[in-house]
Amino acid sequence: MNKAELVASMAEKSGLTKKDAETALNAFMKSVEEALAKNDKVQLVGFGTFDVRERKERQGRNPRNPEQVIEIPASKAPVFKAGKSLKDLINQ
């Protein structure tokens, strides 16, 4: 499902116009992005949690030259952990 299909589905289920549904979806995504940028957690009970994880600096190999060891810098990565209700629904 791409963004346009998600907007259409949201509009159908909520009774909103597609334009209003897209505005709501964009606002949701922007709110999650801003929270994660501040290292906050977004927890939607029953659905899941958006969080930021720290990745440590590590060594890796250059795929084009496997003998060459490269340093991979530390970084932050957004993650989503599905909630119990969502997991149960998918595993039925």
Side-chain angles (χ1 to χ4, degrees):
M1 177 181 283
N2 62 29
K3 185 176 178 181
E5 293 168 339
L6 179 57
V7 166
S9 177
M10 288 173 55
E12 180 183 320
K13 289 179 178 20
S14 67
L16 297 172
T17 64
K18 285 186 181 181
K19 186 173 183 175
D20 289 341
E22 183 174 12
T23 301
L25 178 60
N26 288 338
F28 170 76
M29 291 189 317
K30 187 71 174 167
S31 297
V32 171
E33 288 171 359
E34 289 171 356
L36 294 179
K38 292 188 280 185
N39 273 342
D40 287 342
K41 183 188 295 190
V42 178
Q43 191 170 7
L44 304 171
V45 176
F47 184 72
T49 304
F50 295 92
D51 202 1
V52 177
R53 292 221 178 112
E54 302 277 339
R55 290 186 176 165
K56 296 179 184 176
E57 184 176 325
R58 62 191 192 279
Q59 291 185 340
R61 299 269 180 198
N62 181 347
R64 292 185 181 172
N65 182 3
E67 292 82 34
Q68 182 184 9
V69 176
I70 57 174
E71 292 295 323
I72 301 170
S75 64
K76 295 179 181 179
V79 294
F80 176 76
K81 182 179 178 190
K84 184 175 180 347
S85 299
L86 181 59
K87 286 181 191 176
D88 292 344
L89 179 68
I90 292 171
N91 288 315
Q92 284 182 355

